[in-house]
Amino acid sequence: MIESFYDQTFENIDYSQDVFPEGEYESCTFKNCLFNAVNLSHRVFMECEFVDCDFSGVKLGDTAFKDVKFVGCKLQGVDFSSCNPFLLEMNFEKCLMNLTSFYQLKLKGTTFKSCTLEEADFVEADLTESKFLDCKLTKAQFDNTNLEKADLRTALHFSINPLNNKIAKARFSRDGLIGLLDTFDIRVD
């Protein structure tokens, strides 16, 4: 039988040492928890918040994240592309997300605020109306990515080829235009 957890707070727990119970978590908050190399496959998180948690090496096979917020979390190398895509909705603030994969995910309206997303994989992802607010996107991969109506005005160090991505009505700052032109090997002085 699958356990259900509702409106609970879990603090300072090292789940790499303790078993993380299978089940459905609704309106729960996780603070300062360690999930290093934990298998979170087949769990359901609805309207949950993770604050200052470490997800290094976590496994997410068919994991459901429905209206979930990550704040101050370390999510390096996490493969979100293996999540359950049904009603997938996540937002990220002040997270370290280098080498994270969002390959082929539908992430319409997702907000990334003050995140480091170096070498993140957004290939074939749908990021329509998403916001990258004060995010570092050094070597992030955008290929056949839908960025229509996305806001990258305060994003830094991105390289997006306008010929290989959908960018209609996306918003960029003047300084950010360089990230749209660098694939053409031209100089802007």
Side-chain angles (χ1 to χ4, degrees):
M1 183 174 153
I2 295 176
E3 284 189 74
S4 292
F5 301 88
Y6 180 75
D7 199 25
Q8 294 185 35
T9 299
F10 303 89
E11 288 189 73
N12 303 315
I13 301 172
D14 184 351
Y15 289 111
S16 64
Q17 303 298 319
D18 296 331
V19 175
F20 187 79
E22 270 194 62
E24 295 183 357
Y25 296 81
E26 185 174 351
S27 299
C28 291
T29 302
F30 297 85
K31 293 181 180 178
N32 199 35
C33 294
L34 298 177
F35 293 91
N36 300 63
V38 172
N39 187 347
L40 295 178
S41 297
H42 310 291
R43 272 54 170 204
V44 176
F45 299 96
M46 295 178 288
E47 299 177 6
C48 291
E49 185 173 42
F50 294 90
V51 180
D52 298 327
C53 295
D54 187 345
F55 287 86
S56 300
V58 74
K59 292 171 184 49
L60 297 176
D62 201 39
T63 306
F65 290 113
K66 302 173 184 184
D67 193 14
V68 171
K69 186 172 185 179
F70 296 90
V71 179
C73 292
K74 183 177 178 182
L75 298 151
Q76 291 197 115
V78 174
D79 184 4
F80 283 102
S81 67
S82 60
C83 288
N84 184 330
F86 184 68
L87 298 176
L88 180 65
E89 183 182 346
M90 303 177 287
N91 289 290
F92 304 90
E93 184 176 339
K94 297 178 184 172
C95 291
L96 181 59
M97 304 174 71
N98 297 342
L99 301 167
T100 302
S101 179
F102 297 97
Y103 177 71
Q104 292 186 331
L105 285 180
K106 290 185 184 347
L107 297 168
K108 291 182 179 183
T110 299
T111 297
F112 299 89
K113 184 177 180 183
S114 302
C115 294
T116 301
L117 291 145
E118 294 181 7
E119 298 185 61
D121 180 359
F122 294 105
V123 174
E124 297 181 20
D126 185 350
L127 296 163
T128 304
E129 298 179 349
S130 291
K131 296 176 183 173
F132 292 88
L133 309 173
D134 298 314
C135 290
K136 294 177 185 168
L137 294 163
T138 307
K139 296 184 182 177
Q141 299 172 24
F142 296 93
D143 189 24
N144 200 25
T145 304
N146 188 342
L147 291 160
E148 294 178 320
K149 299 181 183 176
D151 187 346
L152 290 108
R153 289 177 292 172
T154 57
L156 302 170
H157 311 300
F158 60 85
S159 177
I160 298 170
N161 185 336
L163 301 176
N164 296 343
N165 297 282
K166 295 178 183 178
I167 61 168
K169 298 188 180 174
R171 301 179 78 184
F172 299 91
S173 68
R174 286 187 195 272
D175 293 337
L177 292 178
I178 263 286
L180 296 173
L181 299 172
D182 63 351
T183 55
F184 298 108
D185 197 26
I186 59 175
R187 289 180 49 184
V188 178
D189 296 321

Short mmCIF file of all heavy atoms in Angstrom, two decimals, residues 59-114:
data_model
loop_
_atom_site.label_atom_id
_atom_site.label_comp_id
_atom_site.label_asym_id
_atom_site.label_seq_id
_atom_site.Cartn_x
_atom_site.Cartn_y
_atom_site.Cartn_z
N LYS A 59 18.05 9.66 -8.31
CA LYS A 59 17.42 8.98 -9.44
C LYS A 59 15.93 9.32 -9.44
O LYS A 59 15.27 9.23 -8.40
CB LYS A 59 17.64 7.48 -9.33
CG LYS A 59 19.10 7.09 -9.51
CD LYS A 59 19.34 5.63 -9.19
CE LYS A 59 20.80 5.24 -9.28
NZ LYS A 59 21.74 6.08 -8.61
N LEU A 60 15.41 9.69 -10.64
CA LEU A 60 14.04 10.18 -10.73
C LEU A 60 13.20 9.41 -11.75
O LEU A 60 12.46 10.01 -12.51
CB LEU A 60 14.04 11.66 -11.11
CG LEU A 60 14.70 12.63 -10.14
CD1 LEU A 60 14.71 14.04 -10.71
CD2 LEU A 60 13.99 12.60 -8.80
N GLY A 61 13.27 8.12 -11.80
CA GLY A 61 12.48 7.36 -12.76
C GLY A 61 10.99 7.46 -12.50
O GLY A 61 10.51 6.98 -11.47
N ASP A 62 10.26 8.11 -13.39
CA ASP A 62 8.80 8.25 -13.30
C ASP A 62 8.36 9.02 -12.05
O ASP A 62 7.23 8.88 -11.60
CB ASP A 62 8.11 6.88 -13.37
CG ASP A 62 6.66 6.99 -13.79
OD1 ASP A 62 6.35 7.81 -14.66
OD2 ASP A 62 5.82 6.26 -13.21
N THR A 63 9.23 9.85 -11.51
CA THR A 63 8.87 10.68 -10.36
C THR A 63 7.97 11.81 -10.83
O THR A 63 8.22 12.42 -11.87
CB THR A 63 10.14 11.27 -9.72
OG1 THR A 63 11.04 10.19 -9.42
CG2 THR A 63 9.83 12.04 -8.45
N ALA A 64 6.91 12.10 -10.08
CA ALA A 64 5.98 13.17 -10.44
C ALA A 64 6.24 14.41 -9.59
O ALA A 64 6.25 14.32 -8.36
CB ALA A 64 4.54 12.70 -10.26
N PHE A 65 6.48 15.53 -10.25
CA PHE A 65 6.62 16.82 -9.59
C PHE A 65 5.51 17.72 -10.11
O PHE A 65 5.55 18.20 -11.24
CB PHE A 65 7.98 17.47 -9.90
CG PHE A 65 9.16 16.79 -9.26
CD1 PHE A 65 10.10 16.13 -10.03
CD2 PHE A 65 9.32 16.81 -7.89
CE1 PHE A 65 11.21 15.52 -9.45
CE2 PHE A 65 10.43 16.20 -7.29
CZ PHE A 65 11.36 15.55 -8.08
N LYS A 66 4.49 17.93 -9.30
CA LYS A 66 3.33 18.73 -9.70
C LYS A 66 3.27 19.96 -8.81
O LYS A 66 2.98 19.87 -7.62
CB LYS A 66 2.05 17.90 -9.55
CG LYS A 66 2.08 16.62 -10.39
CD LYS A 66 0.89 15.72 -10.12
CE LYS A 66 1.03 14.43 -10.91
NZ LYS A 66 -0.14 13.57 -10.76
N ASP A 67 3.57 21.12 -9.40
CA ASP A 67 3.61 22.38 -8.68
C ASP A 67 4.59 22.31 -7.51
O ASP A 67 4.23 22.49 -6.34
CB ASP A 67 2.21 22.79 -8.20
CG ASP A 67 2.16 24.23 -7.73
OD1 ASP A 67 3.10 25.00 -8.01
OD2 ASP A 67 1.17 24.59 -7.05
N VAL A 68 5.85 22.04 -7.83
CA VAL A 68 6.91 21.88 -6.84
C VAL A 68 7.91 23.02 -6.99
O VAL A 68 8.27 23.42 -8.09
CB VAL A 68 7.60 20.51 -6.99
CG1 VAL A 68 8.83 20.41 -6.11
CG2 VAL A 68 6.62 19.40 -6.67
N LYS A 69 8.38 23.53 -5.86
CA LYS A 69 9.35 24.61 -5.85
C LYS A 69 10.63 24.16 -5.16
O LYS A 69 10.58 23.56 -4.09
CB LYS A 69 8.77 25.84 -5.14
CG LYS A 69 9.64 27.06 -5.21
CD LYS A 69 8.93 28.29 -4.66
CE LYS A 69 9.79 29.52 -4.85
NZ LYS A 69 9.12 30.73 -4.36
N PHE A 70 11.76 24.47 -5.80
CA PHE A 70 13.07 24.20 -5.24
C PHE A 70 13.74 25.54 -4.93
O PHE A 70 13.86 26.39 -5.82
CB PHE A 70 13.94 23.43 -6.24
CG PHE A 70 13.43 22.05 -6.58
CD1 PHE A 70 12.55 21.86 -7.63
CD2 PHE A 70 13.83 20.95 -5.84
CE1 PHE A 70 12.09 20.60 -7.96
CE2 PHE A 70 13.37 19.68 -6.15
CZ PHE A 70 12.50 19.50 -7.22
N VAL A 71 14.17 25.74 -3.68
CA VAL A 71 14.80 27.00 -3.27
C VAL A 71 16.14 26.68 -2.61
O VAL A 71 16.20 25.92 -1.63
CB VAL A 71 13.91 27.79 -2.27
CG1 VAL A 71 14.60 29.08 -1.85
CG2 VAL A 71 12.54 28.08 -2.88
N GLY A 72 17.22 27.24 -3.14
CA GLY A 72 18.54 27.06 -2.55
C GLY A 72 19.04 25.63 -2.57
O GLY A 72 19.86 25.24 -1.74
N CYS A 73 18.57 24.86 -3.54
CA CYS A 73 18.93 23.43 -3.59
C CYS A 73 20.11 23.18 -4.52
O CYS A 73 20.36 23.92 -5.47
CB CYS A 73 17.74 22.61 -4.07
SG CYS A 73 16.37 22.57 -2.89
N LYS A 74 20.82 22.11 -4.25
CA LYS A 74 21.89 21.64 -5.11
C LYS A 74 21.30 20.49 -5.93
O LYS A 74 20.91 19.45 -5.38
CB LYS A 74 23.08 21.16 -4.27
CG LYS A 74 24.27 20.72 -5.08
CD LYS A 74 25.42 20.33 -4.16
CE LYS A 74 26.61 19.85 -4.95
NZ LYS A 74 27.71 19.43 -4.05
N LEU A 75 21.23 20.70 -7.26
CA LEU A 75 20.60 19.73 -8.15
C LEU A 75 21.55 19.38 -9.29
O LEU A 75 21.14 19.18 -10.43
CB LEU A 75 19.31 20.32 -8.73
CG LEU A 75 18.23 20.66 -7.71
CD1 LEU A 75 17.36 21.81 -8.18
CD2 LEU A 75 17.39 19.44 -7.43
N GLN A 76 22.83 19.30 -9.01
CA GLN A 76 23.83 19.07 -10.05
C GLN A 76 23.68 17.67 -10.64
O GLN A 76 23.57 16.68 -9.92
CB GLN A 76 25.23 19.26 -9.50
CG GLN A 76 25.51 20.70 -9.16
CD GLN A 76 26.98 20.99 -9.02
OE1 GLN A 76 27.50 21.75 -9.80
NE2 GLN A 76 27.62 20.41 -8.04
N GLY A 77 23.66 17.62 -11.97
CA GLY A 77 23.63 16.34 -12.67
C GLY A 77 22.31 15.60 -12.59
O GLY A 77 22.23 14.44 -12.97
N VAL A 78 21.26 16.24 -12.14
CA VAL A 78 19.96 15.57 -12.02
C VAL A 78 19.32 15.44 -13.40
O VAL A 78 19.28 16.39 -14.17
CB VAL A 78 19.02 16.34 -11.06
CG1 VAL A 78 17.64 15.72 -11.04
CG2 VAL A 78 19.62 16.36 -9.66
N ASP A 79 18.82 14.26 -13.72
CA ASP A 79 18.17 14.00 -15.00
C ASP A 79 16.66 14.09 -14.83
O ASP A 79 15.99 13.10 -14.56
CB ASP A 79 18.58 12.62 -15.53
CG ASP A 79 18.01 12.33 -16.90
OD1 ASP A 79 17.37 13.22 -17.50
OD2 ASP A 79 18.22 11.20 -17.39
N PHE A 80 16.13 15.31 -14.98
CA PHE A 80 14.70 15.51 -14.87
C PHE A 80 13.94 14.91 -16.05
O PHE A 80 12.73 14.72 -15.98
CB PHE A 80 14.37 17.00 -14.75
CG PHE A 80 14.64 17.58 -13.40
CD1 PHE A 80 15.78 18.34 -13.17
CD2 PHE A 80 13.77 17.37 -12.35
CE1 PHE A 80 16.03 18.88 -11.92
CE2 PHE A 80 14.02 17.90 -11.09
CZ PHE A 80 15.15 18.66 -10.88
N SER A 81 14.65 14.60 -17.13
CA SER A 81 13.97 14.07 -18.31
C SER A 81 13.35 12.70 -18.06
O SER A 81 12.49 12.25 -18.82
CB SER A 81 14.93 14.00 -19.51
OG SER A 81 15.95 13.04 -19.29
N SER A 82 13.73 12.04 -16.98
CA SER A 82 13.16 10.73 -16.66
C SER A 82 11.94 10.85 -15.74
O SER A 82 11.35 9.85 -15.33
CB SER A 82 14.22 9.83 -16.02
OG SER A 82 14.71 10.43 -14.83
N CYS A 83 11.52 12.10 -15.42
CA CYS A 83 10.33 12.32 -14.58
C CYS A 83 9.05 11.97 -15.33
O CYS A 83 9.01 11.96 -16.55
CB CYS A 83 10.25 13.78 -14.15
SG CYS A 83 11.46 14.26 -12.95
N ASN A 84 8.00 11.78 -14.57
CA ASN A 84 6.68 11.60 -15.14
C ASN A 84 6.24 12.95 -15.73
O ASN A 84 6.14 13.94 -15.00
CB ASN A 84 5.70 11.15 -14.05
CG ASN A 84 4.32 10.85 -14.56
OD1 ASN A 84 3.86 11.43 -15.54
ND2 ASN A 84 3.64 9.93 -13.90
N PRO A 85 5.95 13.02 -17.03
CA PRO A 85 5.62 14.30 -17.65
C PRO A 85 4.20 14.80 -17.37
O PRO A 85 3.90 15.96 -17.61
CB PRO A 85 5.80 14.02 -19.15
CG PRO A 85 5.54 12.56 -19.29
CD PRO A 85 6.03 11.93 -18.01
N PHE A 86 3.34 13.95 -16.82
CA PHE A 86 1.94 14.33 -16.61
C PHE A 86 1.84 15.41 -15.53
O PHE A 86 2.27 15.22 -14.40
CB PHE A 86 1.11 13.10 -16.22
CG PHE A 86 -0.36 13.39 -16.07
CD1 PHE A 86 -1.13 13.72 -17.17
CD2 PHE A 86 -0.96 13.37 -14.82
CE1 PHE A 86 -2.48 14.00 -17.04
CE2 PHE A 86 -2.31 13.64 -14.67
CZ PHE A 86 -3.07 13.96 -15.78
N LEU A 87 1.29 16.56 -15.89
CA LEU A 87 1.12 17.71 -15.00
C LEU A 87 2.43 18.19 -14.37
O LEU A 87 2.45 18.77 -13.28
CB LEU A 87 0.09 17.42 -13.90
CG LEU A 87 -1.33 17.13 -14.37
CD1 LEU A 87 -2.22 16.75 -13.19
CD2 LEU A 87 -1.92 18.31 -15.14
N LEU A 88 3.54 17.96 -15.05
CA LEU A 88 4.85 18.36 -14.55
C LEU A 88 4.92 19.88 -14.44
O LEU A 88 4.68 20.60 -15.40
CB LEU A 88 5.95 17.87 -15.50
CG LEU A 88 7.38 18.22 -15.13
CD1 LEU A 88 7.77 17.51 -13.83
CD2 LEU A 88 8.33 17.81 -16.25
N GLU A 89 5.21 20.36 -13.23
CA GLU A 89 5.36 21.79 -13.01
C GLU A 89 6.34 22.01 -11.87
O GLU A 89 6.12 21.58 -10.74
CB GLU A 89 4.02 22.44 -12.66
CG GLU A 89 4.12 23.94 -12.51
CD GLU A 89 2.80 24.60 -12.11
OE1 GLU A 89 1.75 23.96 -12.20
OE2 GLU A 89 2.87 25.77 -11.67
N MET A 90 7.46 22.70 -12.20
CA MET A 90 8.50 22.97 -11.22
C MET A 90 8.98 24.40 -11.40
O MET A 90 8.95 24.94 -12.50
CB MET A 90 9.69 22.03 -11.43
CG MET A 90 9.39 20.56 -11.37
SD MET A 90 10.85 19.54 -11.73
CE MET A 90 11.04 19.78 -13.49
N ASN A 91 9.45 25.01 -10.31
CA ASN A 91 10.08 26.31 -10.34
C ASN A 91 11.31 26.25 -9.46
O ASN A 91 11.35 25.50 -8.47
CB ASN A 91 9.10 27.41 -9.89
CG ASN A 91 8.02 27.64 -10.92
OD1 ASN A 91 8.29 28.16 -12.00
ND2 ASN A 91 6.80 27.22 -10.63
N PHE A 92 12.32 27.05 -9.84
CA PHE A 92 13.62 26.97 -9.17
C PHE A 92 14.11 28.37 -8.79
O PHE A 92 14.02 29.30 -9.59
CB PHE A 92 14.64 26.34 -10.12
CG PHE A 92 14.23 24.99 -10.64
CD1 PHE A 92 13.49 24.87 -11.81
CD2 PHE A 92 14.57 23.84 -9.95
CE1 PHE A 92 13.11 23.63 -12.29
CE2 PHE A 92 14.19 22.59 -10.43
CZ PHE A 92 13.45 22.49 -11.61
N GLU A 93 14.63 28.50 -7.57
CA GLU A 93 15.18 29.78 -7.12
C GLU A 93 16.48 29.54 -6.35
O GLU A 93 16.53 28.70 -5.44
CB GLU A 93 14.17 30.48 -6.22
CG GLU A 93 14.61 31.86 -5.79
CD GLU A 93 13.55 32.58 -4.96
OE1 GLU A 93 12.36 32.22 -5.04
OE2 GLU A 93 13.93 33.51 -4.24
N LYS A 94 17.53 30.24 -6.76
CA LYS A 94 18.84 30.17 -6.10
C LYS A 94 19.37 28.74 -6.04
O LYS A 94 19.94 28.32 -5.02
CB LYS A 94 18.79 30.79 -4.71
CG LYS A 94 18.46 32.26 -4.71
CD LYS A 94 18.39 32.83 -3.31
CE LYS A 94 17.96 34.29 -3.35
NZ LYS A 94 17.70 34.83 -2.02
N CYS A 95 19.19 28.00 -7.12
CA CYS A 95 19.63 26.60 -7.15
C CYS A 95 20.89 26.44 -7.99
O CYS A 95 21.09 27.14 -8.98
CB CYS A 95 18.53 25.71 -7.73
SG CYS A 95 17.09 25.57 -6.66
N LEU A 96 21.73 25.50 -7.58
CA LEU A 96 22.92 25.12 -8.33
C LEU A 96 22.53 23.90 -9.17
O LEU A 96 22.24 22.83 -8.62
CB LEU A 96 24.07 24.78 -7.37
CG LEU A 96 25.39 24.38 -8.01
CD1 LEU A 96 25.93 25.50 -8.90
CD2 LEU A 96 26.40 24.03 -6.93
N MET A 97 22.49 24.09 -10.50
CA MET A 97 21.90 23.07 -11.38
C MET A 97 22.81 22.72 -12.55
O MET A 97 22.34 22.42 -13.64
CB MET A 97 20.56 23.58 -11.89
CG MET A 97 19.61 23.96 -10.79
SD MET A 97 18.09 24.70 -11.38
CE MET A 97 17.30 23.29 -12.10
N ASN A 98 24.11 22.73 -12.34
CA ASN A 98 25.03 22.40 -13.41
C ASN A 98 24.83 20.96 -13.87
O ASN A 98 24.53 20.07 -13.07
CB ASN A 98 26.47 22.60 -12.96
CG ASN A 98 26.77 24.05 -12.60
OD1 ASN A 98 26.04 24.95 -12.98
ND2 ASN A 98 27.83 24.26 -11.85
N LEU A 99 24.97 20.75 -15.19
CA LEU A 99 24.87 19.43 -15.81
C LEU A 99 23.49 18.77 -15.62
O LEU A 99 23.35 17.56 -15.69
CB LEU A 99 25.97 18.49 -15.29
CG LEU A 99 27.40 18.98 -15.54
CD1 LEU A 99 28.40 18.19 -14.72
CD2 LEU A 99 27.74 18.94 -17.02
N THR A 100 22.47 19.58 -15.39
CA THR A 100 21.12 19.07 -15.21
C THR A 100 20.47 18.88 -16.58
O THR A 100 20.67 19.67 -17.48
CB THR A 100 20.30 20.06 -14.37
OG1 THR A 100 20.97 20.22 -13.12
CG2 THR A 100 18.90 19.57 -14.11
N SER A 101 19.66 17.83 -16.74
CA SER A 101 19.00 17.56 -18.02
C SER A 101 17.49 17.75 -17.94
O SER A 101 16.83 17.21 -17.06
CB SER A 101 19.30 16.14 -18.48
OG SER A 101 18.63 15.88 -19.70
N PHE A 102 16.99 18.54 -18.90
CA PHE A 102 15.56 18.74 -19.10
C PHE A 102 15.17 18.29 -20.50
O PHE A 102 14.21 18.77 -21.08
CB PHE A 102 15.21 20.22 -18.91
CG PHE A 102 15.48 20.73 -17.53
CD1 PHE A 102 16.65 21.41 -17.25
CD2 PHE A 102 14.57 20.54 -16.52
CE1 PHE A 102 16.91 21.89 -15.97
CE2 PHE A 102 14.81 21.01 -15.23
CZ PHE A 102 15.98 21.68 -14.97
N TYR A 103 15.92 17.36 -21.05
CA TYR A 103 15.76 16.90 -22.43
C TYR A 103 14.31 16.51 -22.73
O TYR A 103 13.71 15.71 -22.02
CB TYR A 103 16.70 15.71 -22.66
CG TYR A 103 16.59 15.07 -24.02
CD1 TYR A 103 17.05 15.72 -25.15
CD2 TYR A 103 16.03 13.81 -24.17
CE1 TYR A 103 16.97 15.14 -26.40
CE2 TYR A 103 15.94 13.22 -25.42
CZ TYR A 103 16.41 13.90 -26.53
OH TYR A 103 16.30 13.31 -27.77
N GLN A 104 13.75 17.15 -23.75
CA GLN A 104 12.41 16.88 -24.29
C GLN A 104 11.26 17.14 -23.31
O GLN A 104 10.14 16.72 -23.57
CB GLN A 104 12.31 15.45 -24.82
CG GLN A 104 13.14 15.21 -26.06
CD GLN A 104 12.91 13.84 -26.65
OE1 GLN A 104 12.58 12.88 -25.94
NE2 GLN A 104 13.08 13.71 -27.95
N LEU A 105 11.49 17.83 -22.21
CA LEU A 105 10.40 18.07 -21.26
C LEU A 105 9.56 19.28 -21.66
O LEU A 105 10.06 20.24 -22.24
CB LEU A 105 10.96 18.31 -19.86
CG LEU A 105 11.46 17.08 -19.12
CD1 LEU A 105 11.97 17.47 -17.74
CD2 LEU A 105 10.37 16.03 -18.98
N LYS A 106 8.30 19.24 -21.31
CA LYS A 106 7.41 20.38 -21.48
C LYS A 106 7.42 21.17 -20.17
O LYS A 106 6.89 20.71 -19.16
CB LYS A 106 5.99 19.90 -21.81
CG LYS A 106 5.87 19.28 -23.20
CD LYS A 106 4.44 18.93 -23.51
CE LYS A 106 4.19 18.23 -24.80
NZ LYS A 106 5.16 18.13 -25.79
N LEU A 107 8.05 22.33 -20.20
CA LEU A 107 8.22 23.16 -19.01
C LEU A 107 7.67 24.56 -19.23
O LEU A 107 8.29 25.56 -18.85
CB LEU A 107 9.71 23.23 -18.64
CG LEU A 107 10.37 21.91 -18.27
CD1 LEU A 107 11.88 22.07 -18.21
CD2 LEU A 107 9.84 21.42 -16.95
N LYS A 108 6.52 24.65 -19.84
CA LYS A 108 5.91 25.94 -20.14
C LYS A 108 5.74 26.76 -18.86
O LYS A 108 5.25 26.26 -17.85
CB LYS A 108 4.55 25.75 -20.80
CG LYS A 108 4.63 25.19 -22.20
CD LYS A 108 3.25 25.08 -22.81
CE LYS A 108 3.35 24.53 -24.22
NZ LYS A 108 2.03 24.47 -24.87
N GLY A 109 6.18 28.01 -18.92
CA GLY A 109 5.98 28.92 -17.80
C GLY A 109 6.87 28.67 -16.59
O GLY A 109 6.65 29.25 -15.53
N THR A 110 7.89 27.86 -16.73
CA THR A 110 8.79 27.58 -15.61
C THR A 110 9.65 28.81 -15.30
O THR A 110 10.13 29.48 -16.20
CB THR A 110 9.70 26.38 -15.94
OG1 THR A 110 8.88 25.23 -16.16
CG2 THR A 110 10.69 26.09 -14.81
N THR A 111 9.84 29.09 -14.02
CA THR A 111 10.72 30.18 -13.61
C THR A 111 12.00 29.62 -13.01
O THR A 111 11.97 28.78 -12.11
CB THR A 111 10.02 31.09 -12.57
OG1 THR A 111 8.87 31.68 -13.17
CG2 THR A 111 10.96 32.18 -12.08
N PHE A 112 13.12 30.10 -13.55
CA PHE A 112 14.44 29.83 -13.01
C PHE A 112 14.94 31.19 -12.53
O PHE A 112 15.14 32.10 -13.34
CB PHE A 112 15.39 29.30 -14.09
CG PHE A 112 14.97 28.00 -14.72
CD1 PHE A 112 14.15 27.98 -15.83
CD2 PHE A 112 15.41 26.79 -14.19
CE1 PHE A 112 13.78 26.79 -16.43
CE2 PHE A 112 15.04 25.59 -14.78
CZ PHE A 112 14.22 25.59 -15.90
N LYS A 113 15.10 31.37 -11.22
CA LYS A 113 15.51 32.67 -10.68
C LYS A 113 16.82 32.54 -9.92
O LYS A 113 16.93 31.73 -8.99
CB LYS A 113 14.41 33.21 -9.75
CG LYS A 113 14.70 34.58 -9.21
CD LYS A 113 13.56 35.10 -8.36
CE LYS A 113 13.88 36.48 -7.83
NZ LYS A 113 12.82 36.97 -6.95
N SER A 114 17.81 33.29 -10.34
CA SER A 114 19.13 33.31 -9.70
C SER A 114 19.74 31.92 -9.59
O SER A 114 20.29 31.54 -8.56
CB SER A 114 19.03 33.96 -8.30
OG SER A 114 18.53 35.27 -8.40
#
